[in-house]
Amino acid sequence: MTQRNLTRRFLLSTAAMLAGASLLPQGALAAEPLKVAGVYTVPVEQQWVSRIHKAAEAAQSRGDIEYTFTENVSNTDYARVLREYAEAGNQLIVGEVFGAEAEAREVAADYPDVAFLMGSSFKQDEALPNFAVFDNYIQDAAYLSGIIAGAMTESGNIGMVGGFPIPEVNRLMHAFMAGAAEMNPDIKFQVSFIGSWFDPPKAKETAFAMVEQGADVLYAERFGVSDAAQEKGVLAIGNVIDTQAEYPETVVASALWHFEPTLDAAIAAVKAGEFMADDYGRYSFMSEGGSSLAPLGTFEGKVPQEALDMVKEREQAIKDGSFTVDINDEEPKSS
């Protein structure tokens, strides 16, 4: 066969392939993964950020996104890192802007074609359509973990150590306290905030003081609290992640946050060209699969049946909408 015939045959074959491809649904050809960046003020091992990081890695493993991240970014440097990722062609940037709210929104305004999904204490602004907010509304699971705590305390004294008294922490503490009060309305609570998102030694020392004041169950909103519980031989209730494997004789239960529904909804919106100013907090609700109570594991058979029955009943009611856990963003106080 001559070179001319080979060339003609190749061109005809290529044309046929392109014609066939044009009949395929849009996106049927290999879809490019979405470029996603994470900007975090703490290590990715920290409870809250670890859930975002885990969800992003899962999306990347599915081939939905191409993911990169920077951790331990100071609030003063946050805007610069956001700009670098926006300039690098990332289509979606996730993170938490609790200490850099105004600066982050200014960056988003400069890059209207980039979607920003940020943990925030403030709501979305329709004037900034590419900036959506989220929050860990896991009060449902926190309430259920409180029921268990209320059943496990013998002294009727529970210590609670948080980072900062902001809405995302306050609402979980209030929900936990409400759950514990279901089992014993006379329970006393010691509440303290350490003024840091990641200071395990300070959280540990604060928890030690609570045990000295009679607490036999500790609510571990921060890293370091379960270490104190383990050393003092008291129990702990986890938050956001399940650490029972590290504290098998200490952590009874944990309220888990699942960021996958939040991130997956944002990815779908960006890909569909429908991302807009919105509050993604609803995807953290138990009814959306955004939160759950961790398995009892090593404490199976050690929690009073009365509490387990109430947990089961309330969990079902939360999911079907017949029971609603109050969202109280006010700063909780010691009893």
Side-chain angles (χ1 to χ4, degrees):
M1 185 177 291
T2 67
Q3 179 65 37
R4 181 178 178 181
N5 286 337
L6 279 171
T7 301
R8 183 171 181 274
R9 173 182 255 179
F10 172 77
L11 291 173
L12 288 173
S13 174
T14 302
M17 288 174 62
L18 291 173
S22 68
L23 299 177
L24 293 174
Q26 187 175 5
L29 295 176
E32 288 293 321
L34 199 71
K35 290 190 67 175
V36 177
V39 184
Y40 310 122
T41 60
V42 293
V44 291
E45 290 82 13
Q46 188 258 13
Q47 299 110 300
W48 202 84
V49 162
S50 73
R51 308 311 286 178
I52 304 173
H53 185 64
K54 177 177 179 287
E57 288 192 317
Q60 179 168 250
S61 69
R62 296 194 305 263
D64 291 345
I65 68 173
E66 177 186 315
Y67 173 58
T68 186
F69 68 93
T70 301
E71 58 189 335
N72 292 317
V73 178
S74 67
N75 288 332
T76 55
D77 208 27
Y78 204 86
R80 179 189 65 79
V81 178
L82 287 180
R83 287 186 185 280
E84 288 183 353
Y85 276 129
E87 290 286 348
N90 286 282
Q91 298 152 284
L92 171 65
I93 302 177
V94 298
E96 48 0 308
V97 295
F98 300 108
E101 187 80 38
E103 296 86 347
R105 291 181 185 244
E106 288 176 4
V107 173
D110 291 340
Y111 298 92
D113 295 330
V114 179
F116 292 80
L117 178 65
M118 296 289 158
S120 170
S121 296
F122 296 89
K123 293 302 182 182
Q124 72 276 19
D125 180 359
E126 292 184 2
L128 195 59
N130 63 322
F131 192 97
V133 299
F134 68 87
D135 207 341
N136 62 330
Y137 282 91
I138 63 170
Q139 66 281 342
D140 300 327
Y143 169 83
L144 298 181
S145 72
I147 292 175
I148 293 175
M152 296 300 285
T153 178
E154 295 180 358
S155 67
N157 188 323
I158 295 178
M160 307 180 69
V161 181
F164 291 92
I166 63 172
E168 4 321 279
V169 175
N170 297 344
R171 73 175 64 107
L172 305 188
M173 285 188 163
H174 278 295
F176 172 86
M177 294 162 81
E182 291 276 18
M183 299 306 298
N184 180 359
D186 296 323
I187 284 179
K188 303 299 180 184
F189 298 97
Q190 300 179 57
V191 180
S192 186
F193 298 91
I194 63 172
S196 172
W197 291 130
F198 195 73
D199 191 344
K202 188 172 183 179
K204 186 176 180 180
E205 288 301 319
T206 302
F208 277 155
M210 291 178 171
V211 175
E212 292 298 319
Q213 293 298 316
D216 65 349
V217 174
L218 297 173
Y219 176 71
E221 199 272 328
R222 292 292 101 194
F223 275 157
V225 178
S226 293
D227 292 301
Q230 182 174 252
E231 289 187 28
K232 292 295 185 179
V234 300
L235 301 177
I237 301 294
N239 180 59
V240 176
I241 62 175
D242 185 1
T243 58
Q244 192 183 79
E246 290 75 32
Y247 308 95
E249 303 303 319
T250 302
V251 175
V252 184
S254 298
L256 305 183
W257 183 30
H258 308 294
F259 193 68
E260 287 79 1
T262 302
L263 183 59
D264 291 349
I267 291 171
V270 174
K271 287 188 173 183
E274 299 173 351
F275 190 88
M276 64 182 69
D278 198 359
D279 184 356
Y280 279 69
R282 64 187 180 277
Y283 293 107
S284 291
F285 281 54
M286 186 172 284
S287 59
E288 296 285 345
S291 61
S292 69
L293 188 66
L296 293 177
T298 55
F299 280 86
E300 196 73 50
K302 300 178 183 179
V303 178
Q305 189 60 44
E306 177 188 4
L308 297 180
D309 291 342
M310 179 175 285
V311 166
K312 183 178 180 180
E313 174 189 333
R314 290 293 164 79
E315 181 177 9
Q316 181 56 46
I318 288 169
K319 289 180 177 179
D320 66 27
S322 60
F323 181 81
T324 301
V325 177
D326 287 339
I327 296 176
N328 185 347
D329 289 345
E330 297 179 2
E331 181 178 343
K333 305 292 184 181
S334 297
S335 302

